[in-house]
Amino acid sequence: MRKRRIVTAIVGVAALLVVLFAIVISNSNSGPTYTKDEIGLQIQLDLNEDIGLFIIHSDIDGNLESGGVSNANKSLLKKNELLFWTLSREYYENMPDTVDLKLKFDIVTEYYEPNYENIYPEESVVPVDGEVSLNATFGEVYKIKVTGDKVNGYRATIEQ
C-alpha cells in the first residue's frame, strides 16, 4: 500500500513537470506581445550569411527615426533569425490609429559596437533594396522578410 502511494506521487510529480515544461516552451517561442499603442514588426532574416547589425530607418507620418538590432553579447545575428521591433505611439504627438509607415533597412555585415548615429565603416554597410511602405495600424503586427547576401544584395518585402 505504501509503495503504491510513493509510485503514484512520483508519477504525479513527473506529469506536473511535463505540463510546466510544455507551458514554458510554448510561452518562450511566442515572441513579444504588443499593446494597442504599438506597431509591431517581426523581421524574418533569410540570408546567406550571419550579419553584425540590422539598422531600421522609419518614417511614420513624416516623423523620422532610426535604430537597430544587435546582440548584447557581440555575436553575429544569425542568418535565419527572427527580429522584433516596436514603434510606440508615446513617442509621437497626436498620432492617429492608422499611419503611413515607410521603412528602409541597412545591414552592417560585420559586428561593430552600436552607436546612436548609426555610423559604421562604409565598406561594411549594405542598404537593403525595397522600401517597405504600408498603412500601419497601432495594435497590429506586420511581418517583413529580408533575403539575400552581401555579394548580390539584400531585399526586403512585406509578408501577407
Side-chain angles (χ1 to χ4, degrees), residues 22-42:
I23 290 170
V24 168
I25 292 297
S26 69
N27 286 338
S28 67
N29 291 334
S30 62
T33 57
Y34 302 98
T35 71
K36 65 179 177 56
D37 289 324
E38 296 175 321
I39 295 171
L41 301 177
Q42 294 181 357

Side-chain angles (χ1 to χ4, degrees), residues 47 51 53-55 105-109 124-128 146 154:
L47 309 175
I51 61 172
L53 301 121
F54 189 82
I55 309 298
F105 309 105
D106 291 322
I107 289 179
V108 182
T109 57
S124 296
V125 179
V126 180
V128 176
V146 179
Y154 300 101

Side-chain angles (χ1 to χ4, degrees), residues 81-116:
E81 196 157 339
L82 179 60
L83 308 176
F84 300 97
W85 190 257
T86 303
L87 298 164
S88 180
R89 188 192 313 246
E90 73 179 278
Y91 298 114
Y92 309 100
E93 285 188 37
N94 303 319
M95 199 58 59
D97 288 341
T98 300
V99 295
D100 290 326
L101 177 61
K102 296 177 186 150
L103 300 165
K104 291 183 181 180
F105 309 105
D106 291 322
I107 289 179
V108 182
T109 57
E110 305 296 323
Y111 181 85
Y112 295 95
E113 194 68 34
N115 61 73
Y116 288 109

